[in-house]
Short mmCIF file of all heavy atoms in Angstrom, two decimals:
data_model
loop_
_atom_site.label_atom_id
_atom_site.label_comp_id
_atom_site.label_asym_id
_atom_site.label_seq_id
_atom_site.Cartn_x
_atom_site.Cartn_y
_atom_site.Cartn_z
N GLU E 479 11.79 90.97 -27.73
CA GLU E 479 12.11 91.71 -26.52
C GLU E 479 13.05 90.77 -25.72
O GLU E 479 13.99 91.24 -25.04
CB GLU E 479 10.92 91.97 -25.78
CG GLU E 479 9.96 93.01 -26.50
CD GLU E 479 8.74 93.32 -25.72
OE1 GLU E 479 8.56 92.68 -24.60
OE2 GLU E 479 7.90 94.15 -26.19
N GLN E 480 12.75 89.48 -25.61
CA GLN E 480 13.61 88.61 -24.79
C GLN E 480 15.01 88.45 -25.36
O GLN E 480 15.95 88.49 -24.61
CB GLN E 480 12.98 87.20 -24.76
CG GLN E 480 11.69 87.21 -23.90
CD GLN E 480 10.98 85.85 -24.00
OE1 GLN E 480 10.96 85.24 -25.07
NE2 GLN E 480 10.38 85.42 -22.88
N LEU E 481 15.06 88.44 -26.72
CA LEU E 481 16.44 88.38 -27.40
C LEU E 481 17.17 89.65 -27.09
O LEU E 481 18.41 89.61 -26.78
CB LEU E 481 16.15 88.21 -28.87
CG LEU E 481 15.76 86.69 -29.33
CD1 LEU E 481 15.50 86.72 -30.80
CD2 LEU E 481 16.84 85.69 -28.99
N ASN E 482 16.54 90.81 -27.18
CA ASN E 482 17.25 92.06 -26.90
C ASN E 482 17.74 92.19 -25.47
O ASN E 482 18.85 92.62 -25.21
CB ASN E 482 16.26 93.25 -27.28
CG ASN E 482 16.00 93.31 -28.78
OD1 ASN E 482 16.80 92.87 -29.56
ND2 ASN E 482 14.86 93.95 -29.08
N LEU E 483 16.87 91.62 -24.58
CA LEU E 483 17.25 91.70 -23.15
C LEU E 483 18.47 90.73 -22.92
O LEU E 483 19.39 91.14 -22.20
CB LEU E 483 16.09 91.16 -22.28
CG LEU E 483 16.34 91.19 -20.82
CD1 LEU E 483 16.71 92.62 -20.21
CD2 LEU E 483 15.07 90.64 -20.03
N THR E 484 18.54 89.63 -23.57
CA THR E 484 19.59 88.72 -23.42
C THR E 484 20.88 89.35 -24.03
O THR E 484 22.00 89.22 -23.45
CB THR E 484 19.30 87.34 -24.15
OG1 THR E 484 18.12 86.83 -23.62
CG2 THR E 484 20.44 86.42 -24.02
N CYS E 485 20.76 90.02 -25.07
CA CYS E 485 21.90 90.64 -25.72
C CYS E 485 22.51 91.70 -24.89
O CYS E 485 23.64 91.93 -24.80
CB CYS E 485 21.52 91.16 -27.12
SG CYS E 485 21.09 89.92 -28.33
N ASP E 486 21.69 92.50 -24.25
CA ASP E 486 22.20 93.51 -23.40
C ASP E 486 23.03 93.08 -22.23
O ASP E 486 23.93 93.72 -21.70
CB ASP E 486 21.05 94.45 -22.81
CG ASP E 486 20.34 95.21 -23.95
OD1 ASP E 486 20.99 95.44 -24.97
OD2 ASP E 486 19.09 95.50 -23.76
N GLU E 487 22.69 91.82 -21.70
CA GLU E 487 23.37 91.29 -20.60
C GLU E 487 24.67 90.57 -20.96
O GLU E 487 25.47 90.23 -20.13
CB GLU E 487 22.48 90.20 -19.91
CG GLU E 487 21.26 90.89 -19.23
CD GLU E 487 20.29 89.83 -18.63
OE1 GLU E 487 20.53 88.66 -18.87
OE2 GLU E 487 19.33 90.27 -18.06
N GLU E 488 24.89 90.36 -22.19
CA GLU E 488 26.12 89.69 -22.73
C GLU E 488 26.97 90.70 -23.39
O GLU E 488 26.69 91.73 -23.80
CB GLU E 488 25.71 88.55 -23.70
CG GLU E 488 24.76 87.50 -23.17
CD GLU E 488 25.38 86.69 -22.08
OE1 GLU E 488 26.64 86.65 -22.06
OE2 GLU E 488 24.67 86.08 -21.29
N ASP E 489 28.26 90.41 -23.51
CA ASP E 489 29.18 91.27 -24.28
C ASP E 489 28.97 91.04 -25.78
O ASP E 489 28.19 90.25 -26.25
CB ASP E 489 30.63 90.92 -23.85
CG ASP E 489 31.05 89.50 -24.11
OD1 ASP E 489 30.38 88.81 -24.98
OD2 ASP E 489 31.89 89.03 -23.40
N GLU E 490 29.70 91.76 -26.56
CA GLU E 490 29.44 91.80 -28.01
C GLU E 490 29.70 90.42 -28.60
O GLU E 490 28.93 89.99 -29.47
CB GLU E 490 30.28 92.90 -28.56
CG GLU E 490 30.12 93.07 -30.14
CD GLU E 490 30.87 94.21 -30.76
OE1 GLU E 490 31.61 94.92 -29.93
OE2 GLU E 490 30.87 94.39 -31.91
N GLU E 491 30.85 89.87 -28.17
CA GLU E 491 31.18 88.56 -28.83
C GLU E 491 30.17 87.50 -28.53
O GLU E 491 29.73 86.73 -29.40
CB GLU E 491 32.56 88.09 -28.23
CG GLU E 491 32.96 86.70 -28.81
CD GLU E 491 34.29 86.30 -28.27
OE1 GLU E 491 34.87 87.13 -27.50
OE2 GLU E 491 34.76 85.28 -28.61
N ASP E 492 29.69 87.44 -27.24
CA ASP E 492 28.61 86.47 -26.94
C ASP E 492 27.31 86.80 -27.68
O ASP E 492 26.59 85.90 -27.97
CB ASP E 492 28.38 86.57 -25.36
CG ASP E 492 29.53 85.93 -24.62
OD1 ASP E 492 30.32 85.15 -25.22
OD2 ASP E 492 29.70 86.33 -23.42
N MET E 493 27.06 88.08 -27.89
CA MET E 493 25.87 88.41 -28.58
C MET E 493 25.88 87.94 -30.01
O MET E 493 24.80 87.36 -30.51
CB MET E 493 25.67 89.96 -28.59
CG MET E 493 24.48 90.47 -29.32
SD MET E 493 24.36 92.29 -29.26
CE MET E 493 25.79 92.73 -30.14
#
Side-chain angles (χ1 to χ4, degrees):
E479 295 179 358
Q480 291 173 325
L481 287 173
N482 293 333
L483 180 60
T484 304
C485 293
D486 292 340
E487 295 175 353
E488 304 289 342
D489 55 26
E490 183 177 356
E491 181 179 357
D492 291 338
M493 179 176 64

